[in-house]
């Protein structure tokens, strides 16, 4: 039925409260659209350009004949629209678009919604649905699910983050949905590319931290003709509803994921072989029972493409790179050499590494290597700007060149919980101005093997799993004794001399890997390469759950990547689940289920109890 039929096609006041009908009942919804942007600035300091948009846009609202409410704002920078579209079951689909009329630098764009209602709640970054008593912030990799009183808000593609806060007196909800926000893409570059490293006395900690002086990139470029979009849905909520499904991050019921990203510094073929298979002896290659690959664990291992021993020029190292890829792990690049490389050198290095199809680039000594993305590599510098070369060479992930906790004591930290629940904690984000290249965060994980093993304790792994989290380690496991100098660095080697010659992985570290492998085998923990983890988190942002009047749920994948084993947490135990009419894979008790979601496709999910349909939301059949 049309909303506000007596006022169809009538211009509504540009007020923040929109009179809405949801599920046949009136809902006073406050709506505002905030944009903070500056004109494109091609000078030496693009962050210094004055803002041209800074705050809420004046939306002029019109009610269309089909009941769609459209709020529109037009200026010389952009055309902004917020549409509240009638959807089946009395729901309302939210669609926001920002169409850029001229070049600009965007700092933030956000849709703010609010409505009254008792019992506000939300799903946080730990993927737990709880009452909302203080603001929570979600980000990429966390679904948007929030509710209060008569309305449930479910996110869709384009929501990069959200701030969910209870209204004063626990009488409603305010939801700020970000199309973009500088806090969700904290890329920064070093203020200068040094000609040489200062004397650091062999210190891996605070002395290196003294070099961490960076300039943040707060503005993301938009070109005339670009469009930002966001979708979400408001569903009517009834006392008898079981509630929504909660999408999980990892496949087939895994509660958490662990990624190890290893830097190429001081690579030694024997040491790397020992870390992968337990022993440096060539006969250990391909064996099972010890080391990362021997225990079936994934590894993101970076290399230099050239420069002699320890690089991909060395046949023994190249053979290990082959084995990594064959085992389902991945080869990445740690720049292309240990020295400063210009565009020509990077182009040649990408060509030399093409057989391993590297998708990950980790900056090496960005203080002095100007081609590092965190130095000049992400800029248009004629000599060292390499972002376009990386994308053309198949690289889609770059390192943030810093760890979320700095050089503190190593621990199994969850990247989704690296900041308090109400503050941003981005795990991955697009590199501004470099389409196709994304940045990922890590945690420092460089210490003596006994300390690394202690950080991988059963208790720490339990915590990671309880939080539905992700650990991404910044490691140096493939370093060998021949190229390592200094007592501190030698103590951190992951290998030990073997009886009778050669090297073995440190026994205490291998015991920790056995703990990881046991959890992976039990399905509790996912051991992933970074590309697999990052690509999955990106793909989750393209998933939308649509609740239907017949009680079924349509699970839609708007993206170009399939999601095998998409895991969903049910709102109640003891239900039977069906995917396109066939039994779903369900954990005992029915608390978790999973399904394979094809790229660009959809499946229909139905809950039953003793074969009778059970709707999760009681949606009306409004015409």
């Amino acid at each position: 039925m049309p909303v506000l039929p007596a006022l169809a096609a009538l211009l509504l006041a540009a007020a923040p409260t929109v009179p809405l009908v949801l599920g046949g009942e009136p809902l006073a919804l406050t709506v505002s659209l905030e944009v903070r942007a500056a004109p494109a600035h091609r000078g030496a300091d693009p962050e210094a350009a004055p803002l041209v948009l800074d705050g809420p846009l004046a939306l002029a609202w019109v009610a269309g004949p089909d009941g769609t409410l459209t709020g529109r704002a037009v200026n010389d920078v952009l055309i902004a629209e917020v549409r509240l579209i009638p959807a089946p079951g009395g729901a309302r689909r939210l669609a926001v678009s920002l169409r850029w009329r001229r070049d600009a630098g965007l700092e933030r764009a956000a849709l703010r919604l609010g409505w009254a209602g008792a019992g506000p709640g939300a799903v946080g970054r730990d993927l737990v649905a709880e009452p909302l008593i203080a603001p929570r912030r979600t980000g990429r990799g966390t679904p948007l699910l929030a509710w209060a009183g008569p309305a449930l808000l479910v996110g869709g593609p384009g929501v990069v983050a959200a701030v969910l806060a209870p209204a004063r007196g626990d009488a409603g909800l305010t939801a700020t949905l970000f199309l973009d926000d500088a806090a969700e893409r904290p890329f920064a570059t070093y203020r200068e590319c040094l000609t040489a490293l200062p004397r650091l006395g062999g210190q891996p900690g605070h002395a290196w931290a003294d070099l961490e002086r960076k300039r943040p990139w707060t503005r993301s470029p938009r070109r005339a003709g670009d469009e930002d979009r966001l979708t979400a849905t408001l569903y009517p909520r009834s006392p008898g509803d079981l509630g929504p499904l909660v999408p999980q991050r990892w496949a087939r019921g895994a509660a958490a994921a662990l990624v190890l990203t290893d830097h190429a510094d001081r690579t030694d073929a024997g040491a790397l072989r020992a870390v992968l298979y337990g022993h440096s002896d060539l006969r250990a290659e391909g064996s099972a029972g010890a080391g990362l690959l021997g225990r079936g664990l994934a590894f993101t291992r970076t290399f230099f493409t050239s420069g002699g021993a320890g690089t991909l020029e060395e046949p023994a190292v190249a053979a290990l790179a082959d084995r990594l890829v064959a085992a389902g792990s991945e080869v990445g690049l740690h720049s292309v050499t240990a020295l400063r490389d210009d565009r020509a050198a990077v182009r040649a290095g990408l060509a030399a590494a093409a057989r391993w199809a590297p998708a990950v680039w980790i900056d090496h000594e960005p203080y002095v290597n100007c081609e590092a993305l965190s130095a000049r590599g992400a800029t248009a510098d004629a000599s060292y700007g390499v972002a376009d070369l990386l994308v053309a060479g198949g690289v889609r992930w770059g390192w943030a060149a810093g760890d979320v906790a700095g050089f503190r004591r190593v621990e199994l930290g969850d990247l989704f919980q690296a900041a308090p629940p109400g503050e941003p904690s981005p795990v991955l984000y697009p590199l501004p101005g470099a389409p196709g290249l994304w940045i990922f965060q890590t945690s420092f994980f460089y210490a003596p093997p006994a300390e690394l093993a202690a950080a991988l304790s059963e208790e720490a792994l339990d915590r990671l799993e309880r939080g539905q989290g992700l650990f991404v380690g910044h490691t140096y496991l493939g370093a060998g004794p021949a190229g390592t100098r200094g007592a501190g660095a030698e103590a951190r080697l992951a290998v030990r001399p073997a009886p009778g010659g050669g090297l073995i992985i440190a026994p205490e570290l291998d015991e920790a890997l056995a703990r990881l492998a046991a959890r992976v085998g039990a399905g509790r923990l996912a051991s992933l390469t970074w590309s697999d983890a990052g690509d999955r988190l990106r793909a989750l942002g393209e998933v939308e759950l649509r609740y239907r009047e017949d009680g079924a749920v349509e699970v839609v994948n708007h993206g170009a990547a399939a999601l095998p084993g998409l895991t969903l947490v049910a709102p109640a135990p003891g239900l039977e689940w069906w995917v396109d009419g066939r039994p779903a894979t369900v954990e005992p008790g029915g608390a978790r289920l999973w399904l394979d979601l094809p790229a660009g496709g959809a499946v229909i999910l139905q809950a039953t109890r003793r074969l009778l349909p059970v709707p999760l939301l009681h949606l009306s059949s409004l015409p």
Side-chain angles (χ1 to χ4, degrees):
M1 60 181 280
V3 178
L4 302 175
L7 299 177
L10 179 67
L11 181 67
L12 301 177
T17 300
V18 177
L20 191 69
V21 171
L22 190 69
E25 299 295 330
L27 178 71
L29 183 72
T30 61
V31 182
S32 64
L33 182 61
E34 302 176 5
V35 178
R36 184 179 177 90
H41 186 75
R42 310 193 191 285
D45 187 5
E47 302 289 338
L51 294 168
V52 291
L53 295 173
D54 189 12
L57 303 178
L59 296 173
W61 288 91
V62 170
D66 65 346
T68 296
L69 299 176
T70 302
R72 201 164 190 259
V74 180
N75 54 51
D76 63 343
V77 179
L78 56 75
I79 300 171
E81 277 191 352
V82 179
R83 303 176 71 209
L84 301 168
I85 307 163
R92 282 278 172 163
R93 188 166 177 81
L94 302 163
V96 181
S97 71
L98 303 177
R99 294 190 293 270
W100 296 90
R101 305 179 73 182
R102 63 185 176 96
D103 295 357
L106 180 61
E107 290 188 15
R108 181 191 308 136
L111 175 72
R112 181 165 295 169
L113 307 171
W115 67 91
V123 169
R125 295 195 299 258
D126 57 1
L127 302 185
V128 175
E130 290 182 329
L132 194 60
I133 59 176
R136 290 189 188 182
R137 184 165 179 133
T138 67
R140 292 181 177 89
T142 301
L144 170 60
L145 281 167
W147 56 89
L152 165 70
L153 178 63
V154 178
V159 181
V160 303
V163 173
L164 309 166
R168 186 174 300 174
D170 192 30
L173 175 74
T174 298
T176 304
L177 279 54
F178 293 95
L179 293 88
D180 193 12
D181 185 26
E184 292 296 326
R185 42 170 176 77
F187 186 68
T189 51
Y190 291 94
R191 293 184 176 273
E192 58 180 325
C193 185
L194 302 174
T195 56
L197 281 174
R199 293 181 63 84
L200 299 175
Q203 303 268 347
H206 69 275
W208 290 97
D210 289 343
L211 299 175
E212 294 293 317
R213 300 182 182 90
K214 290 184 177 180
R215 181 185 187 85
W217 288 27
T218 61
R219 294 174 182 173
S220 182
R222 296 296 189 272
R223 303 295 179 227
D226 286 352
E227 184 172 10
D228 291 280
R229 294 188 178 191
L230 175 151
T231 59
T233 304
L234 275 170
Y235 289 97
R237 189 166 169 258
S238 303
D241 291 345
L242 289 180
L245 292 158
V246 181
Q248 306 292 284
R249 296 179 181 117
W250 313 116
R252 300 176 182 86
L258 183 141
V259 176
L260 297 175
T261 63
D262 205 48
H263 293 219
D265 305 60
R266 297 174 282 115
T267 294
D268 174 86
L272 181 56
R273 191 179 297 111
V275 166
L276 297 181
Y277 296 111
H279 200 291
S280 63
D281 192 306
L282 284 170
R283 290 171 292 182
E285 289 189 5
S287 62
L292 285 160
L293 299 191
R295 296 191 182 278
L297 301 174
F299 198 33
T300 293
R301 216 301 159 160
T302 65
F303 296 91
F304 299 121
T305 60
S306 59
T311 75
L312 291 172
E313 287 182 332
E314 183 182 352
V317 172
L320 289 170
D322 290 339
R323 290 194 171 274
L324 280 161
V325 173
S329 286
E330 72 177 332
V331 167
L333 298 179
H334 197 39
S335 190
V336 293
T337 77
L339 305 176
R340 184 177 297 186
D341 300 307
D342 61 14
R343 281 178 59 87
V346 170
R347 186 183 289 108
L350 288 165
R355 103 188 202 200
W356 297 283
V360 171
W361 168 282
I362 292 180
D363 289 344
H364 173 65
E365 291 189 357
Y367 318 111
V368 294
N369 290 337
C370 303
E371 78 283 2
L373 292 174
S374 54
R376 300 180 193 169
T379 72
D381 186 279
S383 297
Y384 299 106
V386 299
D388 61 323
L389 299 180
L390 299 185
V391 173
V395 174
R396 58 184 184 274
W397 291 105
W399 179 48
D403 299 303
V404 292
F407 296 101
R408 301 177 194 170
R409 177 176 59 87
V410 300
E411 58 185 357
L412 199 72
D414 179 0
L415 288 181
F416 286 101
Q417 307 300 331
E423 298 178 10
S425 189
V427 174
L428 69 166
Y429 51 89
L431 178 60
L437 199 53
W438 282 60
I439 301 298
F440 67 95
Q441 304 272 24
T442 57
S443 295
F444 192 63
F445 208 61
Y446 180 45
E451 191 174 338
L452 298 182
L456 296 171
S457 68
E458 299 285 9
E459 294 78 10
L461 291 165
D462 285 343
R463 284 195 301 272
L464 188 68
E465 290 178 10
R466 284 196 299 270
Q468 315 291 312
L470 170 66
F471 172 74
V472 183
H474 163 185
T475 69
Y476 296 84
L477 300 179
T484 299
R485 298 291 181 269
E490 290 172 358
R492 290 170 173 82
L493 288 173
V495 294
R496 297 288 181 264
L503 299 168
I504 58 169
I505 187 171
E508 59 269 44
L509 180 57
D510 199 38
E511 290 174 9
L513 298 185
R515 291 194 290 271
L516 298 181
R519 290 175 182 249
V520 172
R524 298 166 56 185
L525 181 71
S527 172
L528 301 174
T529 67
W530 171 254
S531 290
D532 286 342
D535 290 350
R536 185 173 186 89
L537 292 175
R538 285 192 62 189
L540 287 169
E542 300 296 329
V543 174
E544 180 182 12
L545 272 61
R546 295 177 179 171
Y547 295 87
R548 307 193 330 180
E549 295 166 286
D550 63 2
V553 183
E554 186 179 10
V555 186
V556 183
N557 185 355
H558 296 275
L563 271 164
L566 173 64
T567 303
L568 303 165
V569 167
L575 298 175
E576 303 130 3
W577 291 94
W578 308 84
V579 178
D580 289 339
R582 296 183 297 274
T585 304
V586 183
E587 281 186 345
R592 289 172 184 251
L593 61 143
W594 51 89
L595 52 90
D596 293 332
L597 188 60
V603 300
I604 303 299
L605 189 60
Q606 176 71 62
T608 62
R609 183 176 284 118
R610 292 186 292 276
L611 301 183
L612 295 176
V614 176
L616 303 185
L617 306 180
H618 293 85
L619 303 180
S620 60
S621 299
L622 294 176

